Amino acid sequence: MTDQKDLTKTSIDISEETDIHWSQDISYGGYLKLGKLLECQEPLSDEHDEMLFIVIHQSAELWMKCCIHELMAAMECVKKNTLGPAFKMLSRIARIQAQLEQSWDVLSTLTPADYAKFRDQLGQSSGFQSYQYRTIEFALGNKNAAMINAHKDNPKRYDALSATLHAPSFYDLVIALLAKRGFPISKTQLQRDFSQPYVADESVENAWLQIYRNPEKEWELYELAEKLVDLEHQFHSWRFSHMKTVERIIGYKQGTGGTGGVSYLVKALDIRFFPELWTARTKI
C-alpha cells in the first residue's frame, strides 16, 4: 500500500523531471520538425473555422503519405512472392483508412454557414487535385489517364503519376502471382496495357473460387484475398463518409475544383479495385 509520504515523493520526482534541460542533438520537436510542420497552417481568412478545414486536409495528406509508403512496400513483397510482411502492411493501410474516415466526423462539425464564410478564399483548389490520393488510386487499379492533367504544371509529379499509371497496379501484381502459383490465368490479363482500367476476368474469378474453396491448401493466398477485401471495404467506407460529409456541408453545389461535388463522389462509390473478389462471393 502506498502511503501519503510515497505519493508526495512521487510528485516531487515528477516535478524534478520536468526541470531537466534537454541538450541532446535530437529532441521531440526537432525529430518531428514541428517548427516547420506547425507553420504550415496559414488560413486565408479571419474565419475561426478555416483552421479546422486546413488541419483536417493536411493531416489526411500525411496519412496518405504513410499509405503510399506501406502500399509500395507491399507491392514489392508481392513481386518477390513473400507475402508475410505484406499482410502487416495491408492491415496497417486499412487501419489508416479507418483513421481517415474518422476525420470526416470531425469535419462534419463545420456547418454550411461556417464553410460559406471562407469557401471563396479556396479558389480552384480541391481534393480532386491531390497528387497523393491519385497515386493511391492508380496503384490500387483505378486507372484514368485524364486525372494526371491537373499536375501538368509540376513536371516531377506529372512524370511520377504517369509512371504509376503505366505500371502494373497492386492487383495486377497479385494476378501475376496467382499465375506463378499455378493458377490458369488468361494471358490477356498478364500482358495487357496496364494504363487502362482493369476489366474483370473469368479466369481470375475461377482462381479465387479455388482458393476460397480450399483455404487449408491455399492458406497464404486465402489470407491475401481477405486482406484485399478489407482494404477495399475500408476505402469504400472512406469514400462514402467523404461524400456524406460534403453533402452535409455544401449540399449539391459544384465542387471548388470544377467537379460535380456530391454527384462526382457518388459515381466514385461504384468503382471496384478487386472485382472478382466480390463476384466470387456469390458463387462460393
Side-chain angles (χ1 to χ4, degrees), residues 72 75 79 138-141 143 163-174 176 190 192-195:
M72 296 305 171
M75 290 172 74
K79 287 179 185 178
F138 281 1
L140 289 178
K143 304 291 185 76
T164 305
L165 174 70
H166 289 86
S169 70
F170 189 94
Y171 197 49
D172 288 318
L173 296 177
V174 169
L190 301 174
R192 71 185 194 87
D193 179 356
F194 296 117
S195 69

Side-chain angles (χ1 to χ4, degrees), residues 53-112:
F53 189 83
I54 292 172
V55 169
I56 288 290
H57 288 85
Q58 286 184 343
S59 59
E61 289 293 334
L62 288 173
W63 279 124
M64 283 191 280
K65 183 174 183 177
C66 194
C67 276
I68 293 169
H69 176 71
E70 299 293 338
L71 182 58
M72 296 305 171
M75 290 172 74
E76 286 301 314
C77 289
V78 172
K79 287 179 185 178
K80 296 175 183 177
N81 199 5
T82 54
L83 297 183
F87 294 151
K88 179 180 179 180
M89 296 164 187
L90 293 174
S91 292
R92 183 172 290 168
I93 293 170
R95 299 306 168 263
I96 290 172
Q97 289 173 316
Q99 183 75 22
L100 286 167
E101 182 180 354
Q102 181 65 29
S103 71
W104 295 125
D105 287 340
V106 181
L107 188 62
S108 69
T109 64
L110 187 70
T111 70

